[in-house]
């Protein structure tokens, strides 16, 4: 089972949304999960994960299906130094719970110093997505993202999870 997740903030709250699907090429999710997060940490520059990670963990706590891969909206590692981004913090938090799940980060904007090998072009777009990973080979993850359904830059199910988390 594959899981794509995203979080959207409004006022003092957030929605964490997830779409579960079986195959990288699926057009529609098998199921959708939305969790309202009422305890949202304040924004700290350079510490984005402190705000988003609790919401993602809350979402994961209600999912009973076994998950093979998690796709996050953002970075697993940051820049050429590969500093821990949201996806790496998620991987470490799950590891602390004895749940090892490969994480694929798909970002729409380039973080300074992101290596060119992280770029993925989809459809007819000339603007890349940026893919970073932990516990899966980068090339394997890039090919999986390319195989995802949709004719445009952003795969259909990643657009869908973004739309779902914004539903207030």
């Amino acid at each position: 089972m594959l899981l794509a997740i995203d979080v959207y903030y409004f006022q003092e709250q957030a929605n964490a949304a997830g779409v579960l699907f079986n195959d990288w090429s699926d057009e529609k999710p098998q199921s959708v999960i939305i969790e309202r997060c009422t305890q949202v940490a304040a924004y700290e520059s350079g510490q984005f994960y402190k705000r988003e990670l609790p919401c993602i963990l809350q979402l994961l706590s209600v999912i009973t299906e076994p998950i093979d891969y998690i796709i996050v909206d953002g970075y697993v590692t940051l820049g050429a130094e590969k500093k821990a981004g949201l996806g790496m913090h998620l991987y470490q938090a799950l590891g602390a719970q004895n749940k090892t799940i490969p994480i694929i980060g798909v970002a729409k904007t380039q973080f300074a110093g992101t290596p060119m090998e992280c770029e993925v072009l989809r459809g007819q777009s000339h603007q890349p997505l940026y893919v970073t990973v932990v516990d899966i080979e980068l090339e394997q993850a890039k090919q999986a993202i390319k195989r995802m359904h949709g004719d445009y830059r952003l795969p259909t199910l990643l657009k869908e999870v973004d739309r779902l988390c914004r539903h207030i």
Side-chain angles (χ1 to χ4, degrees), residues 71-118:
I71 302 101
V72 297
D73 178 23
Y75 283 88
V76 173
T77 56
L78 301 167
E81 308 82 38
K82 296 190 176 189
K83 290 176 52 179
L86 173 64
M88 185 61 76
H89 287 287
L90 174 59
Y91 183 78
Q92 292 166 345
L94 293 174
Q97 300 172 7
N98 294 318
K99 299 177 188 173
T100 303
I101 302 172
I103 311 288
I104 300 170
V106 178
K108 296 177 280 295
T109 57
Q110 184 179 27
F111 183 85
T114 300
M116 283 190 62
E117 65 259 17
C118 295

Side-chain angles (χ1 to χ4, degrees), residues 35-57:
E35 280 289 305
R36 176 72 47 98
C37 307
T38 56
Q39 302 293 320
V40 177
Y43 172 77
E44 287 182 55
S45 179
Q47 304 293 310
F48 175 67
Y49 75 92
K50 289 182 179 180
R51 186 170 196 193
E52 192 140 330
L53 184 59
C55 299
I56 292 171
L57 293 173

Side-chain angles (χ1 to χ4, degrees), residues 4 32 45 51 58 67 92 94 102 120 162:
V32 169
S45 179
R51 186 170 196 193
Q58 179 179 326
I67 300 167
Q92 292 166 345
L94 293 174
V120 171
D162 178 71

